[in-house]
Amino acid sequence: MLKGVSLCLLNLSTLVKLDFSRGLRLLTPAQFKYVFQAPQRASTPEITILARLNHLGTPRLGLAVPKKHLKLAHDRNRIKRLCREYFRTHQHQFPALDFVVIAKVGIGKLDNYTLTMMLDKLWQRHIRLLQKSQSV
């Protein structure tokens, strides 16, 4: 894909932009710390997704894929690429939350399809948790 080119999805006659700009990322330690202070958690043995409401109106993503669990850079890059791609293509379904994806032991053994299904399940759980907390 060319740098600076973003894809668009036609959704019920509305053009939806599918980019992943700086505004959609957690960039500073303070932004990560905000999520770590009081997160909602959704996890499997291989991955945890933390989330906390933000007041920006858009979801944001941060990634924590430590060398401790994935020694080789290309393995860490694969996990980050799959997480970013899932987030990028589904960002318009997510509420205004800051998400931090944390890789755990065993994530390197998952194939791309399994990891993507796991991400889908965890992000849907966060959406349900938010709806449940807002209805109370």
Side-chain angles (χ1 to χ4, degrees):
M1 187 167 160
L2 298 173
K3 192 168 182 103
V5 176
S6 63
L7 297 176
C8 295
L9 174 71
L10 197 56
N11 185 4
L12 299 176
S13 74
T14 304
L15 207 53
V16 177
K17 208 169 177 186
L18 296 177
D19 63 349
F20 188 60
S21 61
R22 287 181 63 84
L24 296 175
R25 291 182 272 173
L26 298 179
L27 299 170
T28 65
Q31 292 170 338
F32 278 84
K33 188 176 181 180
Y34 173 77
V35 177
F36 290 136
Q37 286 175 347
Q40 288 183 335
R41 297 174 190 270
S43 63
T44 66
E46 297 87 5
I47 194 166
T48 297
I49 300 180
L50 306 176
R52 187 166 179 195
L53 278 173
N54 69 39
H55 302 289
L56 303 173
T58 61
R60 296 188 300 173
L61 177 67
L63 299 166
V65 184
K67 281 185 183 179
K68 181 179 180 180
H69 303 312
L70 291 163
K71 302 288 185 214
L72 301 176
H74 67 86
D75 290 331
R76 292 190 301 276
N77 292 341
R78 178 180 71 92
I79 301 303
K80 291 188 280 188
R81 184 179 65 248
L82 289 170
C83 293
R84 281 193 309 264
E85 184 64 13
Y86 186 90
F87 181 84
R88 184 185 71 81
T89 57
H90 293 82
Q91 64 185 300
H92 299 288
Q93 299 171 11
F94 299 146
L97 293 169
D98 287 343
F99 295 100
V100 176
V101 177
I102 303 171
K104 299 193 288 190
V105 176
I107 195 166
K109 295 178 180 140
L110 299 176
D111 64 0
N112 292 355
Y113 178 78
T114 306
L115 179 58
T116 303
M117 291 299 106
M118 220 176 261
L119 289 170
D120 183 59
K121 179 179 128 186
L122 294 174
W123 261 306
Q124 294 306 319
R125 189 177 305 158
H126 273 297
I127 292 170
R128 283 193 312 273
L129 285 171
L130 182 65
Q131 290 170 345
K132 191 177 184 181
S133 68
Q134 289 177 343
S135 68
V136 172

